[in-house]
Amino acid sequence: MKRRILALASGAFILGAAEFVMMGILPQTAAAMQVSIPAAGHYISAYAIGVCVGTLILVFGRKVPPKNLIILFMIIALVGNTLSAVSFNSPMLLAARFISGLPHGAFFGTATLIAKTLADKGKEAQSVSMMVTGQTVANMLGVPAGTLLSEMLSWRLAFAILAAWSLMTMVLVIAWVPFVAPIKDAGIKGQFRFLTHAGPWFILMAVFCGNSGIFCWWSYISPWLQKVGGWDSSMVPLLMVLAGFGMVLGGIAGGRLTDLWKPGATAGLSQAIATVGLLLVFFVPGNLVTTAVLTFMIGFALFFNSSPQQLLMVQAGEGGGELIAGAAVQIAFNFGNAIGSIVGGAALTATAMNYHYTGLAGAPIALIAVIMLVTYSRRYETHTGATERMREVHV
């Protein structure tokens, strides 16, 4: 991996770990803050709401060089994770999680633009997928490590390490990421012009519904593994590694398939896999093997669609709206996370904490994402665009 993409991937790692680590440490955090498991799900929602609000940074920072924006986002991540580590009550942790989420969507919109701009011709999606790999590696290594630290020492230590990693990433970005000119200044209104077309709305609705469905289950994966699968709490970090490994493979596969095929169709395939996985969560009796397989399967699907969706939206925003369009994916992603967490929590409350029903609650919502992407592909992807993306080869 080129150093400039590695620096961006390091930032993606921070934000991916900050977002997803809460799923692995939810029981310990709930106990420390003296709230119930469904109530602790609000810590996930607070981060997601921060993602949505943080996009305003791009609205007013459109004239700032993308590299400088990345540095700003890491400073905010440093502050948010530090406050999370020292939170002494539930309201403070909610506020800290909100701050931690502020740079998330804006970062991925900006980092996608940088990765696409610096990529070799014909490898734009792969470049974006390698940047996003930082987020998937966070799920494979960072989240399990945070879960293990929570089991052995303290959940606070996980956030303290993320704060230190944010500082290190700032140094890497300063040293390795080259200057990229700011996007065309189309004005505040011009940044949102892409939303006047129907195509981007299909993508955004698919992202929202797909993640709402998955997070009905994923938000409560730690207790699900223990209650349904019969896993001991000490084994949950290992299962998080398995899920993260699926995400890494999914992210890489999605990037490669996107460069060869249709981005919308690739994302639709991913959402279909997730829908099947959620149905299996409900219908398949829980044991060690089935829960492990489903953890890997849905983890794979969750990031299989990441690079095609990011790339589609950045392309849709060309002409001054690239950053907002790229960030919009993460807004839809995290808004879906927030709603999914709430819906999943409601399903648990309504069924006396029957964790099978998190899958049943999520599957119909994920199916809507499949329909959206199939419709988008049939309407807009009449050809693969492979010829236009071919690289010139000198012999």
Side-chain angles (χ1 to χ4, degrees), residues 322-393:
E322 293 93 337
L323 296 182
I324 296 295
V329 176
Q330 296 298 319
I331 293 176
F333 186 101
N334 283 273
F335 188 40
N337 298 356
I339 298 301
S341 176
I342 294 170
V343 173
L348 289 174
T349 301
T351 59
M353 305 302 285
N354 186 330
Y355 286 91
H356 285 285
Y357 280 87
T358 58
L360 183 62
I365 308 174
L367 181 60
I368 296 174
V370 178
I371 296 171
M372 288 286 176
L373 289 165
V374 169
T375 302
Y376 174 89
S377 185
R378 290 176 64 88
R379 180 174 295 186
Y380 299 104
E381 295 183 321
T382 55
H383 68 288
T384 65
T387 303
E388 291 85 342
R389 296 198 300 271
M390 288 179 66
R391 291 174 292 125
E392 183 178 359
V393 179

Side-chain angles (χ1 to χ4, degrees), residues 21-111:
V21 73
M22 187 57 71
M23 289 69 163
I25 65 176
L26 202 64
Q28 293 87 350
T29 307
M33 296 292 107
Q34 298 181 337
V35 298
S36 66
I37 292 290
H42 295 157
Y43 302 138
I44 300 168
S45 301
Y47 185 98
I49 294 169
V51 175
C52 301
V53 175
T55 306
L56 293 174
I57 299 171
L58 296 179
V59 175
F60 300 103
R62 62 188 183 278
K63 298 180 182 180
V64 179
K67 177 178 178 177
N68 294 353
L69 287 173
I70 296 293
I71 295 170
L72 171 62
F73 301 148
M74 288 300 101
I75 292 173
I76 299 173
L78 170 62
V79 172
N81 285 299
T82 300
L83 290 176
S84 296
V86 300
S87 293
F88 52 81
N89 59 33
S90 188
M92 182 176 178
L93 183 56
L94 283 170
R97 292 289 292 164
F98 172 80
I99 294 171
S100 296
L102 288 174
H104 190 113
F107 171 88
F108 279 98
T110 307

Side-chain angles (χ1 to χ4, degrees), residues 4 10 38 56 93 110 151 165 214 289 315 343 360:
R4 57 203 182 195
S10 179
L56 293 174
L93 183 56
T110 307
E151 286 281 339
W165 199 294
I214 290 175
V289 175
Q315 290 172 344
V343 173
L360 183 62

